[in-house]
Amino acid sequence: MSERIAVIEGDGIGQEVIPAAIDVLESLDLDFEFVEGEAGDAVKEATGEALPQSTYDLAADADATLFGAAGETAADVILPLRDAVDSFVNIRPAKAYPGVDAVRPETDLVFLRENTEGVYSGHEDDLSDDLSTLTRVVTTSASEKLAHFACDYVEDSDDHDDFSVVHKANVMRKTDGRFRDAVVGVAEEQGVDTDEVLMDAFATHVCLDPEQFDVIVCPNLAGDVLSDLAAGLVGGLGLLPSANIGDDNALFEPVHGTAPDIAGQGIANPTATILSAALMLDHLGYTEEADRVETAVESVLAEGPRTGDLGGDADTDEVTAAIVDRL
Ligand code: NAI
Ligand code: MG
């Protein structure tokens, strides 16, 4: 069956790492049609809109979307794009691969981040010259939806059988309290074991002993921050993929941004985006191909070539070619 994949490079290194992932996907010789859409700072400058309606529609109608990153306009692009694919959970695996000089080589985590509400997509207002406010929305329904996904995720997986709920319900009693009660309630109903960790304490514990954690279910902003922290444990942002999953659609993107400090030089690490493409393959049912891509990435991480962020001196194209070679 043919799959229609929306491809949105965006700005900065998005324009370098997305073509790398497409090279890998094309080398698999699947019946994929790639359709390009524009979004980000450059489009905003040219047209006044960071996310043209045509790109929104492209993502909404595609079988899956692969997105790079947007710069200053990131919030105007990624929040509506996650909405276009109706995504309620952002899956962010953070795994230390052999051969990578990781701060914590034993790290193997999966963050399941609530993707529609909370502080991150809160409603902000300027009320006066001196005062801005943010309204944080937390619903039982969105929290339960995430919890059902998390329960199915650990039940379907050979590697996981329980999850940690990370929150700050001791202080944000109503919002995080609602989140916690909803998630733990669903897990109890489905017979899945959970433990609870306050999010500030989690930040310390995961640095000192990441092995005690496995799958982490958390509110939106906590997932954003704590997964970047986990990136620091496993060797950097160049390694972390993510999947935004909706009921009928999904969008895959690296966790990192446009990396303006290295953009345009052809030296970005394509691993995060290629692993995001592997998550996309898995989601679309191409599980064998997804495994092959992950194995090829693992082999290149172990043996090189490596990009500068991992201590090597290879460029994006060399790393991509090495991955394609091993497929
Ligand atoms: P960033 O992730 O772009 O970069 C942080 C650091 O990690 C930089 O030193 C960068 O060189 C390095 N890095 C990131 N990805 C890399 C890769 N693939 N290979 C090698 N090194 C890599 O985050 P930063 O600097 O906070 O944001 C830069 C821009 O990106 C901002 O305009 C921000 O708004 C945007 N951004 C967009 C996101 C999105 O579209 N989803 C997500 C995060 C940031
Ligand atoms: Mg982030």
Side-chain angles (χ1 to χ4, degrees):
M1 195 184 70
S2 165
E3 311 279 358
R4 194 160 189 264
I5 312 294
V7 178
I8 306 167
E9 294 180 356
D11 304 307
I13 63 167
Q15 298 177 3
E16 302 164 37
V17 292
I18 291 289
I22 300 297
D23 279 355
V24 170
L25 289 170
E26 282 185 334
S27 78
L28 296 170
D29 223 11
L30 298 167
D31 192 6
F32 281 9
E33 182 198 358
F34 299 103
V35 190
E36 283 188 38
E38 290 188 323
D41 296 357
V43 191
K44 177 153 189 185
E45 209 164 306
T47 68
E49 263 183 319
L51 184 68
Q53 185 66 39
S54 55
T55 307
Y56 182 98
D57 293 342
L58 176 70
D61 296 338
D63 293 304
T65 298
L66 201 54
F67 170 63
E72 297 303 310
T73 55
D76 305 321
V77 173
I78 191 60
L79 295 179
L81 274 182
R82 286 175 186 159
D83 175 66
V85 301
D86 222 358
S87 156
F88 58 88
V89 55
N90 187 208
I91 308 175
R92 296 187 157 196
K95 178 168 159 182
Y97 287 99
V100 175
D101 187 17
V103 174
R104 287 286 175 203
E106 64 278 32
T107 308
D108 189 0
L109 304 167
V110 179
F111 290 87
L112 300 179
R113 162 187 178 188
E114 202 289 320
N115 217 16
T116 62
E117 50 190 31
V119 179
Y120 194 87
S121 51
H123 308 287
E124 290 195 298
D125 278 309
D126 288 322
L127 296 188
S128 76
D129 286 347
D130 185 49
L131 175 66
S132 299
T133 60
L134 166 78
T135 305
R136 179 182 185 199
V137 172
V138 174
T139 63
T140 298
S141 49
S143 308
E144 286 185 348
K145 183 146 187 166
L146 172 70
H148 282 292
F149 181 89
C151 290
D152 293 346
Y153 186 87
V154 298
E155 280 171 351
D156 289 349
S157 153
D158 300 331
D159 306 331
H160 318 289
D161 43 27
D162 52 16
F163 61 80
S164 304
V165 189
V166 171
H167 59 72
K168 188 86 183 165
N170 59 331
V171 174
M172 292 176 279
R173 295 194 186 99
K174 294 205 188 305
T175 49
D176 268 15
R178 179 179 292 275
F179 176 82
R180 187 261 322 272
D181 291 350
V183 172
V184 171
V186 166
E188 276 171 6
E189 265 168 41
Q190 288 203 209
V192 172
D193 285 338
T194 59
D195 61 314
E196 292 180 40
V197 194
L198 294 176
M199 65 175 75
D200 46 354
F202 175 85
T204 304
H205 292 317
V206 77
C207 290
L208 295 175
D209 179 19
E211 265 182 309
Q212 65 183 294
F213 301 113
D214 185 14
V215 175
I216 294 112
V217 175
C218 55
N220 205 338
L221 180 64
D224 185 38
V225 175
L226 295 172
S227 58
D228 270 34
L229 184 148
L233 299 179
V234 303
L237 277 166
L239 296 169
L240 258 65
S242 83
N244 299 277
I245 306 293
D247 286 323
D248 304 309
N249 207 332
L251 178 145
F252 302 83
E253 53 169 339
V255 167
H256 64 70
T258 57
D261 51 338
I262 57 163
Q265 302 175 43
I267 57 168
N269 187 347
T271 304
T273 310
I274 293 171
L275 288 173
S276 302
L279 291 175
M280 181 178 84
L281 287 167
D282 190 55
H283 179 76
L284 292 171
Y286 300 86
T287 44
E288 191 222 311
E289 288 84 353
D291 286 346
R292 278 172 59 206
V293 171
E294 202 191 346
T295 305
V297 166
E298 268 177 44
S299 154
V300 170
L301 287 173
E303 293 158 25
R306 299 191 185 94
T307 43
D309 56 317
L310 301 180
D313 56 12
D315 61 25
T316 310
D317 288 347
E318 285 167 304
V319 172
T320 307
I323 292 168
V324 169
D325 237 27
R326 282 170 172 81
L327 277 169

